């Protein structure tokens, strides 16, 4: 199987505290991979390392065969990595459609002179952008909310909008940070279908962090468990559920499906 | 010459430090730059002038009364222009502060005219020679009085109940409230203390230069803010250090490089500090959480 | 819906015709001067709005750019005898470069701190105007700045200046309108709202901050160049901190991040002080009080960004818009 992403012995420390310690993992092409672990295990930190918000203290991150450590966050997006945030970060005063439009590479790469003085060609280009973005919004089920301000959407729909925004960047790898947090069971069901669709039909690789074990076990083909910044287990749902290290990591600290 | 400039620099520096304390204390608690602080300083000076000239109060009494009036003014400004906006966007608060600043400086122009008033202190100016250095008694008073005030402030903040509550509020306004501290009155008190220091600084500088005018708050305020930033905004010893460093650098720059660009040194330092060490000389670094 | 749009366009057309014929209707040259001032401040407030309102970078030294533009233009005209039109373009370019330079600190600073640095920059620029005597004649200023010429025609009254500022302001409105509704403008808004989120979708915040500062400064430079030739005299006193504050007040009272807001803000704040002339002494006082009052009771300004047309990126595309799309 082809590896799309490789994390090679990556560590980062904040003021002496090792938030991620010598973690190595990989993601195969076409796979839905889940990252789980108790609170403070370093999952979101790992996302921030992958997207370039943080620089690793040591180790290499390889994406599509190329080491990407030195790329800035916005450059990694162009390479094909997109993400959502655990604490939703939409653009609140922009509409649903605008939130997605501005993520589209043909929209956010406009330059001043053509943007101000352009006519036919510009309109042509923008038409394609708008059509593609509206299509993405209909995939996540927000096609009726185009003019709504992002901030006025209910919580669950804001999560969907973040996914749509990430998709608009035309990624090959999609990082979802707790996409189901705050959703009810019906919404989670729909989310599961959406993630399947993104993986199977849109052929994106999906790496997700999630706390809801039922959801994770159900959707992911492979699971990696982090605890205290270290990788403690890796395998499919059954292997993980019966792994004594994993059980200890969770039981040692309380609830299995602990919310952050 | 060099020692002379150091002395002059220290004199102005201690004035800057007194004003800077007002900026830094308010910033420490509310995380806002009180743009009107320079004008509160100016108003304090005019109060002092009014009390000594028109009402013929003896100087020490006039100083105390002026400080009290200025404290009330500072509290009023907080109540009217800032309290309702505490949770608003920073920019909104800033504009409100600018509004207060414009209001006060024009109020002063309206009442006292745009001209520069002399500030006869009733003290006879005596200069004495120490080696090659000339020192005036006013400079000595300024240095002594500002040292005393800074010590008093230190004691107030560390040893009194009110001071401890103030520090608690500056750590976290919400936690302080949960601990049963009346944060509104603490904030009010912070403005009062800052305004008192500014009024004293204003009266001292008024006497030192024998000049009081409505726009004096602008440059002084900007420089005092520079001092606060230089020391690390929100940090009380930092403001004192920043004021003194700024005063000395400015004085040396004006003497040895160019007097026309005197103010430019202060602003230049401020820009450089903010860009390369925004936490100042004594401040701590902060990182945004993702 | 379509009717609404039509009547809006008709309104715009009538407005434009009235403004074009204005010098024929209004012969009092004092009123023409007021209209010229409004045009000048529309350019200034729109240029600052791009930086502060759309990109979210607080700038308190905008008058410095206005001043740099004015001095650049005046010196080019007086010392090098260039054509006014070349001076106009060059002062936009040179002021834009200064804007870029001031934008550099913006990359490391936010909010109040950035405001103070830009304020300090403004002061330093003013001190340079005052102290660089051999270039600027210091506080004496530069008199006798020549008026623009088109062929043999010299701008010898306020009327041609009115048309010039009308053209410049109209161009600025057009430029800003197209820009903020484009991908470039939306990217600027994302930088204002959440830099980390902006980076997560491939936007490089640094690029847009520098762009906003450069463009904002360039347009302020255009205003400065116009002012220099219109008044024919400039001195450091014209470009003070208070002028920066006035421009900021126009932007904020009009509505941050709103183009009609800036136009309204500039118009109101030019006219109101004139109306209050009989109480000259009180007008700045009222002005300060008004700023506080507005921030408490109407922080979004006269015409806030919340009134903007939604999804206007899409509306601009001919052929795509069907009836359903033309809303708002």
């Amino acid at each position: 199987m082809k590896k799309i992403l490789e994390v090679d012995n990556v560590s980062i420390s904040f003021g002496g505290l090792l938030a991620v310690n010598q973690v190595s993992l990989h993601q195969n092409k076409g796979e839905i991979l889940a990252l789980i672990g108790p609170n403070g295990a370093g999952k979101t930190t790992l996302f921030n390392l992958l997207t370039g918000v943080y620089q690793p203290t040591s180790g290499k991150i390889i994406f599509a065969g190329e080491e990407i450590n030195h790329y800035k966050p916005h450059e990694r997006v162009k390479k094909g990595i997109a993400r959502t945030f655990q604490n939703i970060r939409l653009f609140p005063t922009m509409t649903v459609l605008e939130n997605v439009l501005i993520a589209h590479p043909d929209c956010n790469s406009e330059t001043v002179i053509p943007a101000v003085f352009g006519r036919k060609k510009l309109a042509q280009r923008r038409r394609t952008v708008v059509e593609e973005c509206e299509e993405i919004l209909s995939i996540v089920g927000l096609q009726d909310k185009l003019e709504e301000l992002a901030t006025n959407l209910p919580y669950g729909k804001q999560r969907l909008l973040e996914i749509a925004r990430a998709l608009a960047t035309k990624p090959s790898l999609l990082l979802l940070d707790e996409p189901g947090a705050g959703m009810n069971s019906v919404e989670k069901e729909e989310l599961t279908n959406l993630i399947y669709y993104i993986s199977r039909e849109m052929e994106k690789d999906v790496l997700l962090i999630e706390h809801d074990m039922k959801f994770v076990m159900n959707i992911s083909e492979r699971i990696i468990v982090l605890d205290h910044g270290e990788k403690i287990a890796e395998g499919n749902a059954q292997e993980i559920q019966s792994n004594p290290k994993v059980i200890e990591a969770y039981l040692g600290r309380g609830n299995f499906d602990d919310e952050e | 010459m060099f020692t002379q400039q150091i002395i002059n620099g220290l004199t102005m520096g201690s004035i800057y430090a007194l004003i800077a304390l007002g900026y830094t204390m308010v910033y420490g608690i509310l995380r806002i730059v009180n743009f009107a602080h320079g004008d509160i300083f100016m108003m304090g000076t005019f109060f002092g002038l009014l009390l000594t000239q028109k009402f013929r109060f003896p100087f020490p009494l006039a100083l105390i009364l002026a400080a009290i009036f200025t404290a009330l003014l500072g509290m009023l400004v907080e109540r009217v222009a800032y309290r309702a906006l505490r949770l608003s966007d920073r920019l909104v608060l800033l504009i409100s502060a600018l509004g207060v600043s414009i209001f006060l400086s024009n109020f002063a122009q309206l009442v006292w005219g745009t001209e520069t008033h002399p500030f006869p202190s009733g003290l006879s100016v005596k200069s004495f020679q120490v080696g090659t250095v000339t020192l005036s008694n006013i400079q000595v008073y300024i240095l002594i009085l500002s040292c005393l005030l800074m010590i008093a402030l230190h004691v107030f903040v560390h040893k009194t109940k009110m001071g401890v509550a103030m520090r608690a509020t500056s750590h976290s306004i919400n936690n302080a409230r949960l601990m049963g501290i009346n944060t509104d009155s603490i904030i009010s008190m912070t403005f009062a203390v800052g305004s008192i220091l500014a009024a004293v600084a204003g009266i001292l500088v008024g006497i030192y230069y024998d000049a009081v005018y409505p726009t004096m708050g602008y440059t002084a305020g900007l420089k005092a803010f520079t001092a606060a930033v230089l020391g690390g905004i929100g940090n009380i010893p930092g403001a004192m250090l920043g004021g003194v460093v700024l005063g000395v650098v400015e004085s040396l720059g004006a003497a040895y490089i160019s007097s026309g660009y005197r103010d430019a040194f202060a602003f230049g330092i401020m820009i450089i500090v903010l860009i390369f060490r925004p936490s100042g000389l004594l401040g701590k670094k902060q990182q945004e959480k993702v | 819906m379509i009717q609404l749009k039509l009547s809006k366009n008709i309104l715009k057309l009538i407005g434009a015709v009235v403004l074009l014929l204005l010098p024929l209707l209004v012969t009092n040259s004092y009123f023409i001067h007021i209209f010229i001032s409004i045009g000048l401040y529309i350019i200034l407030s729109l240029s600052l709005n791009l930086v502060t309102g759309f990109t979210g970078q607080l700038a308190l030294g905008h008058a410095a750019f206005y001043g740099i533009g004015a001095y650049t233009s005046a010196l080019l005209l007086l010392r090098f005898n260039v054509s006014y039109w070349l001076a106009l373009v060059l002062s936009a370019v040179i002021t834009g470069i200064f804007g870029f330079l001031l934008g550099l600190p913006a990359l490391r600073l936010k909010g109040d701190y950035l405001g103070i640095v830009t304020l300090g920059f403004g002061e330093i620029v003013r001190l340079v105007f005052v102290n660089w005597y051999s270039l600027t004649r210091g506080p004496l200023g530069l008199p006798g700045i020549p008026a623009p010429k088109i062929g043999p025609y010299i701008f010898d009254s306020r009327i041609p200046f009115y048309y010039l500022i009308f053209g410049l302001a109209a161009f600025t409105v057009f430029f800003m309108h197209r820009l903020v509704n484009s991908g470039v403008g939306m990217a600027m808004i994302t930088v204002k709202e959440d830099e980390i989120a902006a980076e997560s979708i491939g936007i490089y915040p640094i690029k847009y901050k520098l762009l906003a500062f450069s463009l904002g400064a360039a347009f302020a430079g255009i205003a400065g160049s116009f002012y220099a030739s219109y008044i024919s005299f400039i001195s450091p006193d014209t470009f003070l901190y208070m002028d920066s504050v006035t421009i900021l007040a126009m932007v904020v009272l009009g509505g941050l991040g709103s183009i009609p807001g800036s136009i309204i803000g500039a118009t109101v704040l030019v006219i109101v002080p004139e109306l209050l002339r009989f109480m000259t002494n009180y007008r700045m006082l009222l002005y300060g009080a008004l700023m506080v009052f507005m921030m408490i009771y109407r922080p979004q300004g006269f015409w806030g960004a919340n009134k903007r047309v939604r999804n206007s990126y899409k509306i601009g595309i001919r052929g795509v818009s069907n009836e359903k799309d033309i809303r708002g």
Side-chain angles (χ1 to χ4, degrees):
Chain A
M1 249 182 293
K2 207 180 148 209
K3 288 174 184 170
I4 174 85
L5 174 75
E6 280 175 89
V7 174
D8 184 14
N9 263 315
V10 164
S11 302
I12 185 172
S13 61
F14 297 110
L17 181 88
L18 271 167
V20 170
N21 188 8
Q22 304 260 316
V23 168
S24 293
L25 55 85
H26 72 273
Q27 176 156 19
N28 297 320
K29 184 89 199 116
E31 180 179 51
I32 300 179
L33 178 66
L35 204 56
I36 65 167
N39 285 340
K43 304 179 298 287
T44 297
T45 308
L46 193 68
F47 266 25
N48 285 334
L49 287 165
L50 294 177
T51 51
V53 178
Y54 298 148
Q55 270 299 319
T57 322
S58 64
K60 273 193 284 191
I61 297 165
I62 297 152
F63 177 71
E66 185 189 7
E67 186 189 322
I68 57 165
N69 282 33
H70 59 283
Y71 286 124
K72 293 194 169 74
H74 71 278
E75 291 166 328
R76 298 191 194 195
V77 179
K78 310 266 184 239
K79 294 275 163 199
I81 302 179
R83 76 175 292 182
T84 66
F85 294 91
Q86 186 186 336
N87 47 339
I88 300 171
R89 300 185 88 127
L90 290 165
F91 305 114
T93 71
M94 295 171 93
T95 65
V96 166
L97 178 62
E98 285 164 345
N99 263 278
V100 178
L101 283 173
I102 193 55
H104 194 290
D106 283 347
C107 177
N108 66 37
S109 66
E110 281 186 11
T111 53
V112 176
I113 301 296
V116 172
F117 300 104
R119 311 220 29 103
K120 269 231 169 83
K121 247 182 158 172
L122 180 76
Q124 200 72 42
R125 181 176 143 128
R126 287 183 176 176
R127 184 180 314 171
T128 322
V129 171
V130 171
E131 277 164 5
E132 287 182 20
C133 291
E134 288 180 345
E135 196 190 317
I136 292 170
L137 279 165
S138 65
I139 291 172
V140 304
L142 289 172
Q143 67 278 19
D144 297 330
K145 307 268 186 215
L146 300 184
E147 301 220 348
E148 199 86 44
L149 291 186
T151 181
N152 295 340
L153 288 182
Y155 198 73
K157 298 241 186 290
Q158 292 196 10
R159 290 224 176 270
L160 293 175
L161 178 54
E162 266 211 343
I163 296 175
R165 184 177 71 179
L167 286 173
T169 66
K170 305 194 167 173
S172 61
L173 173 63
L174 185 62
L175 310 180
L176 303 175
D177 198 343
E178 298 194 30
M183 286 187 176
N184 61 33
S185 55
V186 178
E187 287 173 320
K188 272 193 183 158
E189 181 82 42
E190 285 166 7
L191 179 67
T192 309
N193 292 335
L194 174 63
I195 294 176
Y196 275 135
Y197 183 86
I198 291 169
S199 173
R200 308 271 152 80
E201 305 297 323
M202 300 177 79
E203 297 182 341
K204 314 269 182 212
D205 308 305
V206 178
L207 172 55
L208 59 95
I209 295 177
E210 191 45 69
H211 269 289
D212 182 338
M213 285 305 142
K214 198 175 137 225
F215 180 78
V216 168
M217 298 299 167
N218 188 8
I219 198 169
S220 39
E221 287 144 6
R222 203 156 56 89
I223 299 169
I224 289 170
V225 189
L226 291 185
D227 186 31
H228 288 301
E230 289 178 39
K231 186 169 95 173
I232 59 167
E234 181 174 349
N236 63 29
Q238 277 116 22
E239 289 161 358
I240 294 297
Q241 274 165 325
S242 56
N243 187 316
K245 271 191 182 166
V246 177
I247 294 168
E248 200 205 312
Y250 275 93
L251 291 182
R253 250 173 286 172
N255 217 327
F256 204 70
D257 47 14
D258 194 12
E259 292 284 331
E260 242 171 69
Chain B
M1 168 83 170
F2 180 77
T3 329
Q4 181 73 57
Q5 294 308 329
I6 297 280
I7 298 285
N8 295 348
L10 282 176
T11 312
M12 270 323 283
S14 52
I15 301 271
Y16 294 151
L18 286 180
I19 314 171
L21 286 166
Y23 280 111
T24 232
M25 289 169 70
V26 167
Y27 191 91
I29 288 187
L30 290 180
R31 303 286 181 273
I32 59 160
V33 176
N34 178 10
F35 256 80
H37 191 58
D39 298 279
I40 288 174
F41 152 88
M42 173 274 297
M43 290 297 284
T45 320
F46 270 106
F47 289 152
L49 183 69
L50 203 65
L51 289 165
T52 52
Q53 291 316 109
K54 205 142 198 179
F55 299 102
R56 302 276 164 201
F57 280 111
F59 182 73
L61 183 63
L63 187 71
I64 292 168
L65 281 178
I68 293 172
F69 289 149
T70 315
L72 292 174
L73 176 67
M75 288 158 83
L76 182 73
V77 166
E78 188 271 328
R79 186 70 194 79
V80 173
Y82 299 159
R83 189 167 293 183
L85 299 176
R86 225 177 265 161
L87 299 175
S88 307
D89 192 80
R90 303 288 79 181
L91 197 58
V92 168
L93 241 163
L94 186 89
I95 305 289
S96 183
L98 284 174
V100 173
S101 165
I102 294 173
F103 182 88
L104 288 178
S105 63
N106 284 282
F107 176 81
Q109 282 182 30
L110 211 58
V111 178
W112 295 296
T114 50
E115 68 272 21
T116 301
H117 302 259
F119 198 138
S121 58
L123 305 165
S124 50
V125 181
K126 289 193 206 84
S127 297
F128 33 92
Q129 202 78 18
V130 186
T132 56
V133 180
T134 314
L135 201 61
S136 78
N137 53 344
I138 293 179
Q139 280 181 311
V140 175
Y141 293 141
I142 289 177
L143 288 169
I144 292 175
L145 198 53
S146 38
C147 279
L148 285 177
L149 277 173
M150 288 187 226
I151 293 167
L153 180 71
H154 187 81
V155 172
F156 171 75
V157 171
H158 286 88
K159 304 285 185 225
T160 67
K161 231 179 158 175
M162 181 66 103
V164 173
M166 211 176 256
R167 283 193 298 146
T169 311
S170 81
H171 270 285
S172 159
I173 221 168
N174 288 328
N175 288 354
R177 194 175 296 130
L178 291 174
M179 303 283 285
I181 294 171
N182 181 347
T183 47
D184 278 352
S185 67
I186 292 295
I187 291 168
S188 224
M189 185 49 75
T190 309
F191 274 83
V193 172
S195 305
I196 289 172
L197 298 174
V200 175
I203 292 170
L204 291 175
V205 83
I207 294 171
Y208 186 46
Y209 286 126
D210 196 16
V212 186
Y213 49 97
T215 52
M216 68 190 282
Y218 168 58
T219 322
L222 204 50
K223 285 189 189 170
F225 177 79
T226 306
V229 166
L230 188 60
I233 195 152
N235 182 315
I236 292 178
M240 302 178 190
L241 178 70
V244 171
V245 171
L246 180 70
V248 171
V249 170
E250 182 185 87
S251 171
L252 293 176
Y256 292 104
I257 304 173
S258 157
S259 61
Y261 284 105
R262 184 189 188 96
D263 295 346
F265 294 119
F267 304 138
I269 290 175
M270 173 181 74
I271 292 175
I272 291 165
V273 171
L274 280 177
I275 293 170
F276 295 104
R277 196 177 157 78
S279 51
L281 297 173
L282 300 183
K284 285 192 217 89
K285 270 195 172 169
Q286 286 183 332
Q287 200 177 14
E288 194 183 356
K289 202 170 151 41
V290 181
Chain C
M1 292 297 179
I2 286 179
Q3 253 173 350
L4 195 88
K5 195 175 172 174
L6 263 177
S7 65
K8 240 183 183 171
N9 280 340
I10 288 171
L11 228 69
K12 274 183 199 164
L13 195 71
I14 293 173
V17 170
V18 168
L19 284 172
L20 277 172
L21 296 178
L22 201 80
L24 306 176
L25 308 171
V26 180
T27 43
N28 184 329
S29 99
Y30 165 72
F31 285 120
I32 298 283
H33 173 70
I34 301 294
F35 281 109
I36 291 174
S37 297
I38 291 172
L40 187 68
Y41 278 101
I42 285 175
I43 299 176
L44 287 168
S45 57
L46 280 173
S47 64
L48 180 61
N49 205 351
L50 187 69
V51 180
T52 303
F54 288 98
T55 319
Q57 308 299 306
L58 178 60
L60 293 175
H62 209 60
F65 296 127
Y66 182 34
I68 291 171
Y71 269 94
T72 307
S73 184
L75 290 169
L76 285 170
L77 291 167
L78 290 169
R79 301 271 162 93
F80 299 99
N81 246 329
V82 303
S83 132
Y84 174 75
W85 310 104
L86 181 62
L88 181 71
V89 173
L90 284 178
S91 48
V93 171
I94 290 170
T95 316
I97 292 170
F98 275 98
F100 179 85
L101 294 176
L102 180 65
L104 293 173
L107 307 180
R108 298 184 60 117
L109 297 171
K110 286 197 171 95
D112 294 356
Y113 276 21
L114 178 63
I116 302 273
V117 161
T118 52
L119 203 160
F121 165 81
E123 279 305 298
I124 291 173
V125 168
R126 188 183 63 84
L127 287 167
V128 170
F129 291 156
V130 173
N131 286 295
W132 194 349
Y133 196 88
S134 59
L135 188 73
T136 64
R137 300 200 341 134
L140 298 177
L142 297 169
I145 301 162
K149 273 186 275 193
I150 298 174
Y153 177 72
I154 302 174
F155 283 30
D156 54 357
S157 79
R158 282 178 174 170
I159 292 169
F161 278 107
Y162 172 83
Y163 285 111
L164 176 57
I165 197 71
F166 180 84
L168 291 173
F171 172 72
T172 310
V173 172
F174 164 80
F175 187 97
M176 294 294 173
H177 176 77
R178 293 278 302 196
L179 185 73
V180 302
N181 290 312
S182 73
V184 181
M186 279 198 280
M188 286 175 170
I189 297 171
T190 68
V191 172
K192 173 179 77 173
E193 299 206 332
D194 188 337
E195 283 187 35
I196 288 171
E199 281 182 311
S200 86
I201 54 170
I203 288 165
Y204 192 34
I206 286 180
K207 180 178 139 191
Y208 290 96
K209 288 182 190 177
L210 288 176
L211 187 63
F213 269 100
S214 311
L215 286 174
F219 277 92
I222 290 175
S225 170
F226 173 86
Y227 177 86
S229 283
Y230 173 55
I231 303 291
S232 89
F233 169 74
I234 55 171
S235 81
D237 288 342
T238 317
F239 314 105
L240 302 179
Y241 161 70
M242 262 308 141
D243 300 289
S244 296
V245 170
T246 306
I247 301 166
L248 182 67
M250 289 169 175
V251 172
V252 174
L253 298 184
L256 280 162
S258 157
I259 288 176
S262 284
I263 297 170
I264 296 170
T267 310
V268 170
L269 291 196
V270 168
I271 291 177
V272 167
E274 295 298 327
L275 294 178
L276 295 177
R277 212 165 253 285
F278 66 95
M279 45 193 291
T280 316
N281 296 326
Y282 295 91
R283 66 182 171 153
M284 285 306 278
L285 198 75
L286 287 172
Y287 200 53
L290 181 69
M291 280 167 79
V292 176
F293 181 85
M294 282 288 286
M295 287 305 101
I296 292 173
Y297 296 102
R298 202 178 160 79
Q300 75 275 31
F302 301 128
W303 190 287
N306 50 343
K307 285 194 183 159
R308 79 197 166 88
V309 178
R310 292 183 181 178
N311 293 345
S312 49
Y313 185 84
K314 175 169 146 182
I315 289 167
I317 311 164
R318 276 163 307 149
V320 170
S321 43
N322 51 45
E323 202 172 330
K324 188 182 128 240
D325 295 331
I326 311 164
R327 272 190 271 168

